[in-house]
Amino acid sequence: MASAPGKLAYPQFSGLRRTCACVSNTHPLFLRRADAAASRRSFGGIFAMAGTGKNGTKDSISKLVADLNSATLENDVDVVVAPPFIYIDQVKRSLVDRIEISAQNSWIGKGGAFTGEISAEQLIDIGCKWVIHGHSERRHIIGEDDQFIGKKAAYALSQNLKVIAYNVSSWTNIVIAYEPVWAIGTGKVATPEQAQEVHAAVRDWLKKNVSAEVASETRIIYGGSVNGSNCADLAKKEDIDGFLVGGASLKGPEFAVIVNSATEKKVAA
Ligand SMILES: O=C[C@H](O)COP(=O)(O)O
């Protein structure tokens, strides 16, 4: 996913081939609702209510949850939030059921003596339905590689968590996120044309390497400086099926604007 602003970055195709990595950054999301008829065309995305660990306090998250609970959100957009582990329970207890919860990471296998780690089983126990794997920050800062991420994703999927990442035996519960690293947290968003080109290339990769059906159905979401002002133009693009939102997700009303940019998808369709 690395590239300079203005240049297209093709997300880890070699990784995709081996395990499947897509990439996300920090926090997460919204997605199309499962009952929305056919396919990825119903918008979906991802939003993070608090960044990777460093964002959020009990008070700030209470405020954000209150904003989300009172926001008017498009019916046919799935909305998922990914708070840091320590706030998941608080969010689960206070957030409306219409919004699902994701973790930002999980262990590679069954729980046990792995100090400091959180298992997929524990996430399910606390009410999570989603987990993010393969975020560029986990790769670049923590040093996770495709193989390790693949193990995590495979185990999470085996426990029926939905995954934003790889090592996929069934694509039903997968969402792929494309985030050019130069766009993450920088205010330099990819142009709709740049993002569309990469999303189309990812979809084409799926078509050639997995199947036409998977290519058609899999949601590919964009992340990197998405905000209330640029989301509408991005949402109009054919292969952009949602967003992975970081900074703008910390402001509930702005996040609602991003969720509701799904209407642009309907207009464009
Ligand atoms: O996880 C979030 C993404 O990495 C995007 O972050 P951002 O919207 O602050 O650029």
Side-chain angles (χ1 to χ4, degrees):
M1 300 293 235
S3 75
K7 297 193 89 179
L8 293 178
Y10 288 89
Q12 318 224 356
F13 279 5
S14 59
L16 272 169
R17 198 163 289 119
R18 270 178 284 145
T19 52
C20 156
C22 68
V23 177
S24 52
N25 171 357
T26 322
H27 351 253
L29 60 137
F30 69 82
L31 318 158
R32 117 197 127 151
R33 291 181 77 76
D35 57 356
S39 88
R40 66 186 172 80
R41 288 284 188 293
S42 346
F43 206 55
I46 290 179
F47 131 78
M49 83 186 295
T52 35
K54 66 178 167 57
N55 289 319
T57 62
K58 285 195 289 184
D59 286 347
S60 70
I61 285 177
S62 291
K63 167 75 168 63
L64 186 46
V65 166
D67 284 346
L68 292 177
N69 285 347
S70 62
T72 301
L73 302 174
E74 275 288 304
N75 278 335
D76 61 353
V77 178
D78 285 346
V79 181
V80 182
V81 299
F85 288 129
I86 55 172
Y87 297 118
I88 288 175
D89 192 50
Q90 176 188 344
V91 173
K92 177 65 183 167
R93 288 170 188 274
S94 54
L95 189 66
V96 290
D97 289 343
R98 179 254 184 278
I99 300 177
E100 295 186 346
I101 297 177
S102 173
Q104 297 178 5
N105 191 19
S106 66
W107 180 239
I108 58 172
K110 194 172 171 54
F114 306 105
T115 302
E117 292 294 334
I118 304 286
S119 70
E121 290 89 346
Q122 288 172 320
L123 295 179
I124 292 165
D125 184 46
I126 205 168
C128 278
K129 294 189 175 170
W130 290 83
V131 64
I132 301 170
H133 288 142
H135 193 283
S136 59
E137 289 160 6
R138 301 288 312 178
R139 293 170 176 276
H140 300 159
I141 301 171
I142 312 294
E144 293 185 3
D145 61 16
D146 286 353
Q147 190 176 27
F148 190 67
I149 294 162
K151 282 182 187 171
K152 288 183 175 189
Y155 190 75
L157 286 167
S158 78
Q159 298 304 303
N160 293 321
L161 278 173
K162 298 174 191 175
V163 175
I164 306 160
Y166 302 90
N167 209 7
V168 180
S169 52
S170 164
W171 285 82
T172 306
N173 286 340
I174 291 286
V175 171
I176 293 178
Y178 166 61
E179 294 197 321
V181 292
W182 49 262
I184 296 171
T186 61
K188 296 174 186 169
V189 66
T191 66
E193 292 71 28
Q194 287 174 323
Q196 166 60 28
E197 185 173 344
V198 176
H199 284 226
V202 172
R203 204 175 302 287
D204 189 53
W205 185 94
L206 289 172
K207 188 174 178 182
K208 289 177 179 149
N209 292 277
V210 185
S211 73
E213 184 182 7
V214 164
S216 172
E217 293 294 322
T218 300
R219 285 166 289 183
I220 303 172
I221 61 175
Y222 170 81
S225 296
V226 175
N227 62 36
S229 301
N230 58 36
C231 59
D233 285 340
L234 287 161
K236 287 175 187 163
K237 290 297 180 186
E238 180 182 356
D239 290 295
I240 298 178
D241 303 319
F243 299 120
L244 180 60
V245 186
S249 71
L250 299 173
K251 300 167 222 161
E254 183 168 8
F255 177 65
V257 168
I258 296 170
V259 169
N260 294 335
S261 65
T263 55
E264 301 294 338
K265 177 66 73 187
K266 290 178 190 166
V267 169

